[in-house]
Amino acid sequence: MASRLERGIDWGTKLPGLTVTYHFAKAGGTYKSHSGKIESVGFNAYEKQQFKLAFAQYEAFTKLKFKAVGKAKKADWVLIGHEGEEGAALGSMGPPGFKHAGVGAFNVTGDGWDRDQPGTGGLEVGGYGYITIVHELGHGLGLAHPHDRGGGSPKFPGVSGDTPLGKHALNQGVYTTMSYQDGWKTNPDGLPPEVAPYGFQGTPMAIDIAVLQMKYGVNTKYHKGNDTYVLPDANEVGTFYSCIWDAGGRDSIVCETDAGAAINLRAATLKAKPGGGGYISNVEGIYGGFTIAHKVVIENAVGGAGDDVIVGNAAGNRLRGGDGHDSIRGRGGDDRLEGGAGDDVLRGGGGRDRLDGGAGDDSLFGGKGADILSAGPGGGTMRGGKGADVFLFEAEPGPGAFATIEDFGRGRDKIGLAAAAFDALTPGKLAASAFAIGAIASDALDRILYDPGSGLLRYDPDGAGGADAVVFAGLAPGLSLSHRDFDVIA
């Protein structure tokens, strides 16, 4: 059953077939449209090219195919360029089954159209003029506005004259290109310059995609391989918000800049709640980024050199923060989280996760599953949560690599010691003779020392020899630890 958001932009009709024939009206003809009687001035080659880009965007996620025909009478759609008077509509198009169905009128003198500026103006993808094309073609395919009752569709929840964005601000262009609230109106960084040639939605968005796939089927062949989606990192022509439709493979969203980024791998839920139209991934200060269409799975995320916030999904994710002080959350699935340099916060969530803090002073939280946590050479704090967890020490013991284990569960959790770093130990189960209680080795075989008074763990490479024991971890004091709580990892 369609959700409230899907019903809110569904005019209730569709074209009879999957092949849409179209005709660009030549200059000189007069046509009747939703905008009234208009005289065609024709389209130039650049304008026609931009229409074809929009057709390709609709073909990417549906089974639709668009085909040019030479005569208007043989076309499902007649597309007309006209010179509108001041204040005239930027465009209009009749939905299937209604008066002037398939007649699209486009005001070539309207804001952002820029018909004579190929590659530089608002008719480029993401510009204000290009929105007009994508929006009006949506009407031609049977989409309605979220702010009115076109075709009997309900308004989006909470939308009114006083609150145009509606409940949870779902009536905006980043969630549906059928909105009059173009772009990301609630962007915490503000908005791009008015009628800029960049910074708006440049594709049909998540709610549009869902409705049109119900009408015209799903393109299951688009982007079936392993794809990488790079976040835009400059405010310039060609920067825009888009919704990712991806039919398969193991895919990634990547930040390649020094600025902080938000990368959220959760797909649009289509529910009338936050996330219904998707979750936005973007670079701080940049007016462009991605949402992810309903049921699309993007598995991986890679942050840049800034302070990133990365959120996974229910799949098995690999989430890498890179440099900077990053916050990474895995959510469901068996995930691998890598903090990199900087003081990072890693949260595994559900599943059997691997958390690697990296070089900074990191905070690791495993979550519900049986997790492996490694604070790394920078040390930090580790909390396993529910499940049988392994707290792994892979760096050479020393003050900089000190890590605190906040919830070690004796008999449930394990402390893993990398043989390459603790080179006086033999891989396998820690020998009983290599473990001792106290702060000082009592014989030549003692290697791992637990002081129940302070909770400190020490490594002594030569037991009661001349080398000093090195503190490498802190646990709760008073634990009844034994050699059985340790494994030596080859």
Side-chain angles (χ1 to χ4, degrees):
M1 181 178 177
S3 70
R4 173 70 182 275
L5 298 184
E6 292 168 292
R7 297 195 308 273
I9 62 164
D10 189 355
W11 196 277
T13 60
K14 65 178 183 178
L15 294 170
L18 296 177
T19 299
V20 183
T21 56
Y22 65 91
H23 174 75
F24 290 120
K26 295 179 176 61
T30 300
Y31 298 84
K32 291 182 179 180
S33 75
H34 182 71
S35 298
K37 187 178 290 187
I38 56 175
E39 182 176 344
S40 173
V41 298
F43 292 116
N44 61 34
Y46 170 57
E47 291 167 313
K48 292 177 182 180
Q49 168 192 292
Q50 298 311 97
F51 274 97
K52 292 174 183 178
L53 283 177
F55 297 154
Q57 289 178 345
Y58 281 106
E59 288 177 339
F61 61 86
T62 67
K63 293 183 177 180
L64 289 168
K65 296 296 179 184
F66 294 84
K67 180 181 178 181
V69 294
K71 295 183 179 180
K73 66 174 69 175
K74 294 185 177 181
D76 298 311
W77 287 354
V78 179
L79 306 174
I80 309 157
H82 71 102
E83 295 179 344
E85 297 178 0
E86 186 176 352
L90 299 179
S92 66
M93 193 162 184
F98 286 76
K99 190 175 182 180
H100 306 307
V103 177
F106 296 85
N107 181 1
V108 300
T109 60
D111 289 341
W113 190 264
D114 294 333
R115 66 187 320 204
D116 299 321
Q117 299 185 55
T120 63
L123 266 187
E124 292 298 303
V125 181
Y128 195 72
Y130 188 79
I131 292 173
T132 303
I133 295 177
V134 178
H135 178 103
E136 299 305 335
L137 296 185
H139 282 315
L141 293 171
L143 297 184
H145 297 134
H147 60 266
D148 60 29
R149 304 185 188 278
S153 61
K155 294 181 181 181
F156 269 21
V159 171
S160 68
D162 294 333
T163 54
L165 299 180
K167 195 172 182 180
H168 308 303
L170 290 166
N171 178 29
Q172 49 183 321
V174 288
Y175 305 133
T176 168
T177 201
M178 303 313 295
S179 175
Y180 276 9
Q181 306 298 318
D182 292 309
W184 187 13
K185 292 294 187 183
T186 53
N187 187 340
D189 294 323
L191 300 172
E194 189 174 356
V195 199
Y198 63 85
F200 299 95
Q201 75 274 10
T203 69
M205 301 305 282
I207 307 172
D208 313 315
I209 290 172
V211 175
L212 292 177
Q213 287 181 335
M214 286 193 296
K215 292 178 183 288
Y216 303 110
V218 179
N219 184 345
T220 59
K221 298 179 180 180
Y222 187 75
H223 282 201
K224 290 187 68 174
N226 300 334
D227 299 297
T228 298
Y229 300 92
V230 180
L231 287 170
D233 59 9
N235 288 319
E236 59 189 12
V237 174
T239 296
F240 54 89
Y241 300 99
S242 60
C243 184
I244 295 173
W245 171 254
D246 189 290
R250 189 164 184 88
D251 311 301
S252 303
I253 294 178
V254 174
C255 173
E256 296 183 343
T257 183
D258 293 344
I263 303 178
N264 197 316
L265 300 186
R266 290 178 290 176
T269 67
L270 304 181
K271 298 178 181 179
K273 297 178 180 180
Y279 300 87
I280 297 171
S281 297
N282 74 307
V283 173
E284 184 179 357
I286 302 302
Y287 300 114
F290 303 120
T291 62
I292 301 173
H294 186 56
K295 294 186 178 180
V296 168
V297 179
I298 306 297
E299 291 84 358
N300 302 329
V302 182
D307 300 342
D308 304 312
V309 178
I310 300 176
V311 179
N313 53 35
N317 303 132
R318 185 172 184 182
L319 311 176
R320 291 182 283 167
D323 294 341
H325 306 315
D326 305 311
S327 173
I328 306 176
R329 174 169 292 189
R331 297 179 65 83
D334 298 342
D335 305 314
R336 179 154 188 173
L337 282 61
E338 301 173 16
D343 301 339
D344 308 307
V345 178
L346 279 57
R347 300 179 185 275
R352 300 170 65 91
D353 304 313
R354 169 72 188 252
L355 284 66
D356 292 296
D361 183 5
D362 306 306
S363 299
L364 280 56
F365 304 90
K368 296 181 180 179
D371 306 308
I372 299 174
L373 297 83
S374 173
T381 60
M382 298 186 283
R383 174 177 287 272
K386 297 180 180 179
D389 304 308
V390 175
F391 299 94
L392 184 59
F393 292 82
E394 300 175 283
E396 182 176 345
F402 178 87
T404 299
I405 302 173
E406 295 185 334
D407 66 337
F408 186 81
R410 178 147 179 356
R412 178 193 68 189
D413 300 326
K414 291 284 187 179
I415 297 173
L417 306 173
F422 296 79
D423 55 6
L425 301 177
T426 302
K429 301 293 183 183
L430 183 67
S433 60
F435 178 79
I437 298 294
I440 301 173
S442 59
D443 63 43
L445 297 178
D446 292 344
R447 295 290 182 267
I448 301 299
L449 313 174
Y450 172 65
D451 181 359
S454 64
L456 295 177
L457 277 176
R458 291 177 170 85
Y459 169 63
D460 195 323
D462 65 350
D468 293 333
V470 180
V471 175
F472 68 93
L475 285 73
L479 297 179
S480 299
L481 289 191
S482 77
H483 68 284
R484 297 183 180 88
D485 296 308
F486 298 83
D487 288 328
V488 183
I489 312 299

